[in-house]
Amino acid sequence: KQEVTQIPAALSVPEGENLVLNCSFTDSAIYNLQWFRQDPGKGLTSLLLIQSSQREQTSGRLNASLDKSSGRSTLYIAASQPGDSATYLCAVKTGANSKLTFGKGITLSVRP
Amino acid sequence: NAGVTQTPKFQVLKTGQSMTLQCAQDMNHEYMSWYRQDPGMGLRLIHYSVGAGITDQGEVPNGYNVSRSTTEDFPLRLLSAAPSQTSVYFCASSSHTPGQDYGYTFGSGTRLTVV
């Protein structure tokens, strides 16, 4: 059974800092991995999707990497801003027709 | 805008009442699913569907019923509401067609309180 872990559960950084959010998964035979952002009281917004054949994906200040052999993905946020404050969740899909398995998320606070 | 639409956004029910949470998508996705999100528990899968006429149970299906008569719609029915069903409910959809899998799209959620 796939398990996804995100540690720490919460993180507070000063504005302008580059930061890395970690995601680990137990079964390396994944189909793809997706990073989401969730603002308080809101739904999940997709940030980046990495297919199993890819090593990384970039969107603006965000870069997500995938290392299947070690069961890890990282979300890199460059030059963090207070507007980046949110909960970040990673989710793994094991097969083409399988469901998503979610981590519990990392709540990020960027201090002005 | 294309996406997943959930209604209502907020609902208060009395114990024992029934209701239907609506979910519709306009992206022609074959896969649709319902999650509930609770503090400390993360997102848990309730039911899912891989296409019209096909549904299956997720991790926490008890007390919920679904059907999928069209590609677009996937309603979630609470048969007899209980306080333990107080939660935020999210509907999500995706394409599982190879080469067209751009990830999951989530609705904005329904916040349900059962008193």
Side-chain angles (χ1 to χ4, degrees):
Chain A
K1 177 185 174 185
Q2 180 73 269
E3 293 182 1
V4 180
T5 303
Q6 294 184 256
I7 296 173
L11 185 63
S12 180
V13 301
E15 181 177 4
E17 189 164 301
N18 301 324
L19 59 102
V20 172
L21 305 180
N22 293 307
C23 171
S24 61
F25 45 92
T26 54
D27 185 350
S28 61
I30 68 170
Y31 185 76
N32 61 37
L33 183 147
Q34 195 167 359
W35 282 93
F36 294 90
R37 168 184 172 142
Q38 186 176 28
D39 294 292
K42 303 294 185 181
L44 279 70
T45 300
S46 179
L47 297 174
L48 290 164
L49 174 72
I50 309 179
Q51 303 292 350
S52 62
S53 59
Q54 298 173 323
R55 297 282 295 186
E56 65 178 334
Q57 283 285 345
T58 298
S59 176
R61 294 183 294 109
L62 305 180
N63 176 278
S65 67
L66 175 64
D67 184 345
K68 288 190 300 180
S69 62
S70 65
R72 297 172 67 101
S73 175
T74 62
L75 179 67
Y76 174 83
I77 302 176
S80 58
Q81 303 169 359
D84 294 329
S85 298
T87 297
Y88 291 82
L89 299 105
C90 75
V92 170
K93 189 170 161 182
T94 307
N97 294 312
S98 71
K99 64 181 179 69
L100 280 182
T101 301
F102 279 89
K104 292 189 177 179
I106 298 173
T107 299
L108 172 67
S109 174
V110 181
R111 308 185 301 270
Chain B
N1 289 338
V4 177
T5 303
Q6 288 184 239
T7 57
K9 293 190 182 304
F10 301 94
Q11 184 70 48
V12 178
L13 286 180
K14 293 182 179 179
T15 297
Q17 286 184 319
S18 62
M19 78 159 294
T20 299
L21 279 63
Q22 301 290 346
C23 175
Q25 53 93 8
D26 59 1
M27 298 170 283
N28 201 33
H29 286 167
E30 62 270 25
Y31 184 94
M32 297 186 73
S33 54
W34 277 100
Y35 290 84
R36 60 177 290 174
Q37 186 176 39
D38 302 289
M41 302 294 291
L43 282 146
R44 292 181 292 171
L45 182 65
I46 305 172
H47 284 287
Y48 65 97
S49 168
V50 298
I54 306 169
T55 63
D56 206 346
Q57 298 181 350
E59 304 170 64
V60 288
N62 292 340
Y64 307 95
N65 199 4
V66 292
S67 60
R68 183 104 177 264
S69 57
T70 67
T71 299
E72 295 77 18
D73 301 298
F74 190 44
L76 177 72
R77 281 180 285 276
L78 279 70
L79 308 173
S80 177
S84 61
Q85 293 179 304
T86 293
S87 186
V88 182
Y89 292 85
F90 289 103
C91 179
S93 73
S94 73
S95 172
H96 284 199
T97 302
Q100 297 182 23
D101 186 348
Y102 302 115
Y104 280 65
T105 300
F106 277 75
S108 58
T110 295
R111 189 172 297 271
L112 176 68
T113 302
V114 182
V115 298

